[in-house]
């Protein structure tokens, strides 16, 4: 997710939110192996009256995302990122 | 930003005492190159090797030189058959695991069964010099290829391979 987030940064997120829009950054479970991932919503897909979210990393060359595992459903979303707190690299 | 630095320091201090969940942003390298062609070629090779094994002249037991040639040629054909049956299974597993998405399965509910059949017929083609098993493998791989190209919005046609074993293969209309 470089440059938005770097290794070790803190993703301050909320589990309570009212909507998901294109451009939002979400924390969600990977449909492949259940790992917790952080990616940006690129597109909202309407599949049989259900909204699915096409997730893409900002760093496209290093991102395994919806281009590989497909769009995700709402139940996979854990939280919405409010902001990124940079890790203090001098600590 | 100064505020962000302060918050970062605060979280850094909390990190030692609290366990935060880790969210990953990247994993492996996405080349995005998928094509069932190699699996189809491998299945065709398995058929071809079974044909070759059946066409190798039978040696006269009393002629050691003929016997040696026979064992040698047969060993080479068996080795190629083994390798290509495994390569076919490997290629299908990669496309199935890395490329196929839930919406593809939704559109083609038979997809998982086709992959399962490819694994089974691939195994059978390795175990036995059986043309029927080899053809069953090729047929299932062709079904998989047709679905793969459909997911890309590319039409396909069937044609006999312009080389031995001259069996039907699904080709994309590019």
């Amino acid at each position: 997710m470089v440059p938005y987030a770097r290794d070790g940064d803190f993703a301050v997120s909320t589990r309570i939110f009212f909507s998901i829009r294109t451009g939002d950054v979400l924390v969600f479970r990977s449909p492949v192996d259940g790992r917790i991932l952080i990616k940006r919503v690129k597109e909202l897909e309407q599949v049989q009256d259900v909204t699915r979210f096409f997730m893409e990393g900002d760093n496209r060359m290093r991102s395994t995302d919806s281009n590989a595992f497909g769009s995700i459903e709402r139940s996979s979303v854990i939280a919405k990122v409010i902001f990124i707190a940079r890790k203090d690299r001098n600590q | 930003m100064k505020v962000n630095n302060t918050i970062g320091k605060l979280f850094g201090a909390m990190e030692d005492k609290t366990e935060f969940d880790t969210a990953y942003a990247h994993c492996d390298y996405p080349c995005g190159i998928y094509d069932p062609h190699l699996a189809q070629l491998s299945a065709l090779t398995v058929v071809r090797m079974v044909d070759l094994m059946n066409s190798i002249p039978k040696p006269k037991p009393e002629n050691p030189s003929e016997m040696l040639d026979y064992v040698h040629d047969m060993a080479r054909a068996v080795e190629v058959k083994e390798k290509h049956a495994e390569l076919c299974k490997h290629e299908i597993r990669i496309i199935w695991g890395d490329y196929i998405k839930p919406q593809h399965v939704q559109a083609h509910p038979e997809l998982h069964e086709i992959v399962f059949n490819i694994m089974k017929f691939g195994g059978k083609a390795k175990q036995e010099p059986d043309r029927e098993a080899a053809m069953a493998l090729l047929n299932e791989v062709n079904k998989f290829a047709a679905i793969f190209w459909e997911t890309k919005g590319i039409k396909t046609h069937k044609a006999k391979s312009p080389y031995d074993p001259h069996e039907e293969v699904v080709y994309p209309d590019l």
Side-chain angles (χ1 to χ4, degrees):
Chain A
M1 283 296 285
V2 172
Y4 179 72
R6 295 173 192 278
D7 264 1
D9 283 351
F10 300 98
V12 181
S13 317
T14 173
R15 286 175 189 269
I16 301 164
F17 51 88
F18 301 104
S19 64
I20 296 176
R21 293 183 190 149
T22 304
D24 286 347
V25 176
L26 302 179
V27 176
F28 60 98
R29 291 256 172 221
S30 160
V32 178
D33 55 14
R35 282 210 304 176
I36 300 176
L37 300 180
I38 177 170
K39 307 275 176 200
R40 194 179 295 279
V41 180
K42 191 196 176 193
E43 222 173 286
L44 306 186
E45 293 177 356
Q46 213 59 38
V47 183
Q48 291 169 348
D49 295 336
V50 177
T51 306
R52 297 179 65 90
F53 308 98
F54 194 92
M55 309 303 297
E56 218 172 55
D58 286 357
N59 185 5
R60 284 288 299 114
M61 289 302 287
R62 292 284 304 273
S63 177
T64 298
D65 46 33
S66 285
N67 291 294
F69 53 67
S71 55
I72 61 162
E73 51 196 24
R74 176 64 183 83
S75 60
S76 303
V77 179
I78 299 168
K80 186 161 148 177
V81 176
I82 304 168
F83 68 93
I84 294 291
R86 292 268 178 248
K87 185 184 175 75
D88 183 0
R89 312 279 164 196
N90 300 318
Q91 247 178 1
Chain B
M1 192 166 50
K2 217 169 184 179
V3 176
N4 200 331
N5 279 350
T6 311
I7 296 171
K9 275 184 188 166
L10 184 68
F11 277 110
M14 284 167 67
E15 197 180 18
D16 298 333
K17 304 195 180 348
T18 316
E19 203 174 302
F20 292 125
D21 283 335
T22 303
Y24 297 90
H26 51 76
C27 16
D28 61 3
Y29 203 85
C31 71
I33 298 172
Y34 302 102
D35 194 322
H37 181 61
L38 192 50
Q40 290 171 289
L41 270 188
S42 301
L44 270 179
T45 304
V46 172
V47 177
R48 174 68 176 146
M49 287 305 115
V50 173
D51 288 349
L52 280 180
M53 287 161 73
N54 285 317
S55 69
I56 297 171
K58 300 282 180 298
K60 290 188 192 89
E62 66 276 15
N63 187 330
S65 168
E66 273 185 23
M67 186 61 92
L68 187 61
D69 283 348
Y70 178 78
V71 171
H72 175 265
D73 290 351
M74 189 60 86
R76 290 192 68 192
V78 170
E79 195 207 359
V80 173
K81 178 170 75 72
E82 285 283 315
K83 272 189 182 165
H84 282 79
E86 190 51 48
L87 181 60
C88 178
K89 290 170 70 177
H90 172 77
E91 288 293 316
I92 295 295
R93 277 197 296 264
I94 295 290
I95 298 175
W96 182 59
D98 293 0
Y99 170 76
I100 296 296
K101 305 175 180 73
Q103 48 267 49
H104 297 148
V105 180
Q106 226 169 16
H108 303 279
E110 71 279 26
L111 199 52
H112 287 333
E113 197 186 341
I114 291 171
V115 173
F116 177 78
N117 288 341
I118 291 169
M119 297 304 127
K120 293 292 163 197
F121 288 132
K124 197 169 163 57
K126 288 208 289 182
Q127 285 163 3
E128 299 164 20
D130 180 5
R131 198 177 202 278
E132 244 179 70
M135 280 304 296
L137 174 66
L138 177 62
N139 289 336
E140 292 301 299
V141 172
N142 275 334
K143 283 185 206 168
F144 184 89
I147 291 174
F148 172 85
W149 290 117
E150 206 180 310
T151 66
K152 298 249 176 214
I154 294 171
K155 287 186 178 165
T156 54
H157 67 278
K158 285 181 181 174
K160 296 222 166 181
S161 62
Y163 37 73
D164 286 332
H166 295 288
E167 292 294 350
E168 210 162 64
V169 179
V170 167
Y171 293 102
D173 298 342
L174 299 174

